[in-house]
Amino acid sequence: EAQSVALHLADADGEDTQAAWDELARELPEGRPLGEEEPAQQVVEAWAGVARSRLRHGRAAEALEALRFALPYLAAPSRVDHILRAELAYLEARCELARGELAAADAAIERLLDLRPTWWGRWRAGELERDALQVLRARGAKEEALIARRLPMRREPAAA
């Protein structure tokens, strides 16, 4: 945990932490049961940090791999809060958009909105939607296709 927190702080200070995140990734659990001193929340946060670092350096496929290593620790009885789960969905959508995979990005955006049907979730979904439109523009999509794109952050929140 201490390494992950230190790297998050170094990231916030603008330091180049890519090698350190990659080194931490080699130490993180990949599907094995966690010990008592390894809370799932902290393991998932560390994998999210690895994914952010890789995505920031144009390594979208490797970032997705890091997110997939976090998946086993989201299952019961692990306790990982909905805020971190939403952040993972956001990171997944960013990775998929970087790879040009709009359908996969849309599925991740939907998960994000299901987990955080708040202003925060809609703000992040709007940011992702803007990026999706940029992907379409880069592909040469016509204006009609851009206008027709469904805006997921405008949908009504799921009924409770």
Side-chain angles (χ1 to χ4, degrees):
E1 174 190 14
Q3 283 178 293
S4 177
V5 170
L7 288 172
H8 283 295
L9 292 172
D11 284 343
D13 287 341
E15 295 178 28
D16 182 6
T17 58
Q18 180 178 4
W21 279 113
D22 285 343
E23 184 177 325
L24 178 61
R26 288 189 284 278
E27 298 173 18
L28 290 173
E30 296 177 9
R32 69 166 169 74
L34 298 178
E36 287 186 28
E37 277 94 48
E38 295 177 298
Q41 178 86 15
Q42 293 170 358
V43 170
V44 172
E45 284 175 355
W47 277 119
V50 170
R52 268 188 223 93
S53 173
R54 291 175 177 176
L55 186 59
R56 189 171 42 249
H57 290 92
R59 299 163 54 197
E62 292 174 75
L64 271 175
E65 178 184 50
L67 294 174
R68 289 192 179 104
F69 285 137
L71 291 179
Y73 306 109
L74 299 177
S78 297
R79 292 188 196 148
V80 176
D81 67 43
H82 74 285
I83 294 169
L84 181 54
R85 291 171 187 269
E87 182 67 13
L88 294 179
Y90 171 79
L91 288 170
E92 180 183 352
R94 300 264 326 184
C95 291
E96 295 295 7
L97 288 170
R99 297 174 56 221
E101 298 292 337
L102 291 174
D106 286 345
I109 292 169
E110 289 295 328
R111 276 194 308 286
L112 165 65
L113 289 168
D114 287 342
L115 290 161
R116 296 285 305 267
T118 62
W119 69 268
W120 185 93
R122 292 176 185 279
W123 167 55
R124 297 293 260 198
E127 181 183 324
L128 293 164
E129 184 62 28
R130 179 203 62 218
D131 294 346
L133 290 172
Q134 290 174 347
V135 169
L136 287 172
R137 275 194 202 105
R139 291 180 181 170
K142 299 203 180 300
E143 186 175 349
E144 297 81 27
L146 298 175
I147 293 170
R149 176 151 170 87
R150 185 176 125 261
L151 299 175
M153 69 279 187
R154 291 192 181 168
R155 73 171 172 81
E156 291 300 314

